[in-house]
Amino acid sequence: MASSKRKMTRRTAMQEIARGAGAACLGGFSLAALVRSASHADARALRPPGALPEPDFLAACVRCGLCVQACPYDTLSLAEWGAEAAVGTPFFTPRQEPCYMCRDVPCARACPTGALDREIPSIRDADMGVAVLVGHEDCLNYKGMNCSICVRVCPIRGDAITLEPGEVDGRKIMIPTVHSRHCTGCGTCEKHCVTGHASIRVLPRDLGLGGPGRNRAGRPA
């Protein structure tokens, strides 16, 4: 009986060691994946108002979630595995819930590390992204209809988006036109766009405006 107990004890000990080693190995892989994820964010990820440039933001953000808790409209989420942002970092998806442009910018004020600028002078100084008309074939105006929903819902009405006269296939139309200098990237236009897939979308500014060209002036052919 004693011998049997000793064998069971050794077997149990070996199982515990194996289980612990497996957990440590899995934890190591998870930690490595987290580190890799934390250093890269999807180009579509939109940050809260006052966010630092992406590399600085990722370095400063401690994934505390205080900005998410401070948002009165539940706009912000902390990214989970497979989301559009580095795991644990705050982001929002305008088509689901845009930024409602709170005057006191509570999410930024709640940030303890400066990843979000607590001293942002005004919500109009936020640079969450820029709206871009991406669905020219779907936009109702390009089909000859007179839709102005994106203009009417814009919090910076008359400045960030206007309807400008244009012509398509000989037809006079009014084209939704984004004025990037005034657009904060709040995403209200994307949220309320009536087409199935929003014809106007908010993108990170460098992506939405194209960024610098790949061909430098004076570069040999």
Side-chain angles (χ1 to χ4, degrees), residues 159-216:
D159 289 330
I161 309 178
T162 58
L163 289 176
E164 303 295 336
E167 185 174 319
V168 175
D169 297 330
R171 293 181 290 109
K172 303 288 186 181
I173 65 172
M174 298 299 290
I175 301 175
T177 304
V178 177
H179 305 282
S180 59
R181 185 165 61 91
H182 298 289
C183 179
T184 64
C186 71
T188 305
C189 56
E190 180 178 338
K191 168 69 175 180
H192 292 281
C193 180
V194 298
T195 57
H197 294 285
S199 298
I200 189 167
R201 292 193 59 191
V202 175
L203 303 174
R205 188 165 291 265
D206 59 343
L207 184 62
L209 299 181
R214 301 179 71 179
N215 297 320
R216 300 177 183 176

Side-chain angles (χ1 to χ4, degrees), residues 3-218:
S3 175
S4 176
K5 287 184 178 180
R6 281 197 298 271
K7 289 180 181 178
M8 290 298 294
T9 301
R10 292 193 189 104
R11 184 181 299 121
T12 302
M14 292 301 293
Q15 289 173 345
E16 291 299 322
I17 292 172
R19 188 178 296 115
C25 183
L26 179 59
F29 283 127
S30 299
L31 180 59
L34 178 60
V35 170
R36 285 195 300 273
S37 174
S39 63
H40 297 86
D42 191 285
R44 294 169 296 172
L46 296 178
R47 299 303 186 186
L52 298 176
E54 189 68 10
D56 299 326
F57 174 81
L58 290 174
C61 178
V62 293
R63 287 68 168 165
C64 65
L66 292 178
C67 58
V68 176
Q69 296 176 27
C71 177
Y73 296 102
D74 295 326
T75 295
L76 300 176
S77 299
L78 288 181
E80 300 177 351
W81 297 109
E84 294 181 343
V87 174
T89 60
F91 76 109
F92 71 102
T93 304
R95 194 61 165 167
Q96 297 175 6
E97 209 66 60
C99 171
Y100 286 92
M101 302 274 287
C102 301
R103 290 186 179 182
D104 56 348
V105 203
C107 54
R109 310 292 185 213
C111 180
T113 66
L116 305 179
D117 182 9
R118 302 184 64 179
E119 304 303 321
I120 184 172
S122 165
I123 187 60
R124 287 200 174 206
D125 296 307
D127 185 7
M128 295 168 274
V130 64
V132 178
L133 190 65
V134 296
H136 295 78
E137 294 184 359
D138 298 323
C139 177
L140 299 184
N141 292 61
Y142 276 81
K143 294 181 177 182
M145 304 181 200
N146 187 21
C147 179
S148 61
I149 187 67
C150 57
V151 175
R152 289 187 284 114
V153 300
C154 178
I156 311 179
R157 186 180 302 177
D159 289 330
I161 309 178
T162 58
L163 289 176
E164 303 295 336
E167 185 174 319
V168 175
D169 297 330
R171 293 181 290 109
K172 303 288 186 181
I173 65 172
M174 298 299 290
I175 301 175
T177 304
V178 177
H179 305 282
S180 59
R181 185 165 61 91
H182 298 289
C183 179
T184 64
C186 71
T188 305
C189 56
E190 180 178 338
K191 168 69 175 180
H192 292 281
C193 180
V194 298
T195 57
H197 294 285
S199 298
I200 189 167
R201 292 193 59 191
V202 175
L203 303 174
R205 188 165 291 265
D206 59 343
L207 184 62
L209 299 181
R214 301 179 71 179
N215 297 320
R216 300 177 183 176

